[in-house]
Amino acid sequence: MTTDTPARLLALLSLLQTPREWPGGELAERLGVSRRTVRRDVERLREIGYPVRATMGSDGGYRLVAGKAMPPLVLDDEEAVAIAVGLRAGAGHAVAGVEEASVRALAKLEQVLPSRLRHRVTTLQAATTPLTSGDGPTIAPETLTAMASAVAGRERLRFAYRAADGTATRRLTEPYRLVSTGRRWYLVAFDLDRADWRTFRVDRVGEPFPTGARFTPRELPTGDAAEFLRRSMHRRGDAYEVQVTFAAPVAAVAPRLPGWLDRPEVTDGGASCVLRATVTDPVEWLAVRLALLGIDFRVDEPAELVECVRGMGARLGRAAGGE
């Protein structure tokens, strides 16, 4: 018989989180308690926010249903490993729409994973290779989770950094936010050695080490990490404005565009649409990405992209036997 009430509640919760209805007698047998104790434990779960529904009759029982808020989940070993592997796989690339939440969830989960399960997750991931990869550079999940934990815990972060020209430095920072552009991850942080705000490409970060020293977050000049990153890219000349007109409605174009590009605007009464976006990738890469959409388009600007698309079209025509 389970006499430890917290342990028994966790065991009951684990059973109820499976998608089925549990007769009271079966729950009592599983937990080694009376049906009356099961009823009391169900009431305790309801008091702390778990929506447990009871049905009456010979076929009645208990089941967990959707409520107004997301209560904490109880996972067994296999479930924890499966979720961690999935989050790690997604964290290695910037996944549009869920990237920041995925990294936060992974950081929380890996913080409490027992060492034996953490080893299983690492071993399974090391033994598998995806057939396809994302558009951006691959990042070690351990790097992202270490940085996300430092951001959440307001903990100073030390790391090695390799600049675009290959220069290697050591940085001590107060990490503010992780930002994903869809293809790349960036860290917005206050650089203590330079006494100023900086952005760091995470794929150039090595050996991230939370120091344990806490700090009070400073006020970011722009108030928003994504806006700060955008302005930083413009100052460095990493970004340029793109305008592309598609000979198809928004509904046909938008699902084919990568998530990091803005949604096109309707033109010509809905028969076509225009994409306006700020891009940081080489024009050659963007030209190929647009061609792979399988939709007729016209590049309006910048001139560099126009020339790149024109040259690529001529080469492809010659490759196909054209003049």
Side-chain angles (χ1 to χ4, degrees):
M1 178 177 177
T2 306
T3 57
D4 184 346
T5 300
R8 190 177 65 246
L9 286 176
L10 288 174
L12 174 59
L13 185 56
S14 180
L15 293 172
L16 291 175
Q17 284 178 342
T18 57
R20 57 161 292 190
E21 188 165 285
W22 290 86
E26 187 174 349
L27 287 176
E29 183 179 349
R30 287 285 194 107
L31 299 172
V33 297
S34 66
R35 293 192 181 205
R36 182 179 179 183
T37 299
V38 169
R39 289 194 297 270
R40 286 202 303 265
D41 287 348
V42 166
E43 286 303 318
R44 291 189 180 101
L45 290 178
R46 288 170 175 164
E47 289 172 2
I48 57 178
Y50 290 95
V52 182
R53 178 179 296 169
T55 54
M56 307 301 291
S58 57
D59 296 329
Y62 301 96
R63 67 181 306 168
L64 201 62
V65 298
K68 295 181 179 179
M70 178 70 184
L73 297 176
V74 176
L75 304 174
D76 62 27
D77 286 2
E78 300 301 324
E79 292 165 343
V81 168
I83 291 175
V85 169
L87 289 173
R88 276 188 168 212
H93 304 283
V95 183
V98 298
E99 57 274 4
E100 186 178 347
S102 296
V103 173
R104 290 201 313 268
L106 180 59
K108 290 179 181 179
L109 182 57
E110 293 209 341
Q111 182 178 355
V112 297
L113 274 181
S115 58
R116 58 185 173 82
L117 296 186
R118 191 176 296 111
H119 176 71
R120 286 177 59 187
V121 171
T122 302
T123 301
L124 181 56
Q125 188 179 35
T128 58
T129 301
L131 178 62
T132 58
S133 59
D135 292 329
T138 299
I139 301 170
E142 294 82 0
T143 298
L144 278 175
T145 53
M147 299 175 84
S149 296
V151 169
R154 298 179 177 180
E155 189 174 351
R156 287 181 177 176
L157 183 71
R158 189 183 299 277
F159 53 84
Y161 192 68
R162 174 179 50 82
D165 61 2
T167 303
T169 56
R170 299 288 301 181
R171 303 298 184 98
L172 178 62
T173 65
E174 294 177 352
Y176 185 79
R177 288 289 187 279
L178 281 167
V179 181
S180 170
T181 63
R183 291 188 66 243
R184 292 191 178 100
W185 283 99
Y186 291 84
L187 173 70
V188 176
F190 188 85
D191 190 320
L192 292 168
D193 294 326
R194 290 154 181 79
D196 199 4
W197 289 94
R198 291 288 190 271
T199 60
F200 302 94
R201 270 180 51 172
V202 176
D203 58 295
R204 294 176 179 166
V205 169
E207 305 171 12
F209 175 71
T211 64
R214 306 289 178 177
F215 66 90
T216 300
R218 304 168 191 261
E219 183 176 352
L220 190 66
T222 62
D224 178 76
E227 177 62 18
F228 181 85
L229 175 63
R230 188 186 68 80
R231 294 185 185 182
S232 175
M233 287 177 169
H234 275 287
R235 286 196 302 270
R236 297 197 306 262
D238 295 342
Y240 55 93
E241 301 300 323
V242 168
Q243 179 173 313
V244 179
T245 300
F246 293 96
V250 171
V253 176
R256 303 190 186 190
L257 290 174
W260 52 271
L261 285 175
D262 298 330
R263 184 177 176 84
E265 302 171 10
V266 174
T267 58
D268 193 22
S272 61
C273 60
V274 174
L275 171 69
R276 296 182 178 89
T278 301
V279 181
T280 61
D281 299 293
V283 292
E284 295 83 2
W285 181 91
L286 184 58
V288 172
R289 195 69 179 83
L290 291 171
L292 290 176
L293 296 179
I295 299 174
D296 288 346
F297 67 92
R298 181 188 73 246
V299 177
D300 302 314
E301 58 181 53
E304 294 84 356
L305 182 58
V306 173
E307 289 302 316
C308 181
V309 170
R310 183 178 291 121
M312 183 177 68
R315 287 191 300 274
L316 292 175
R318 291 192 295 270
E323 302 199 4

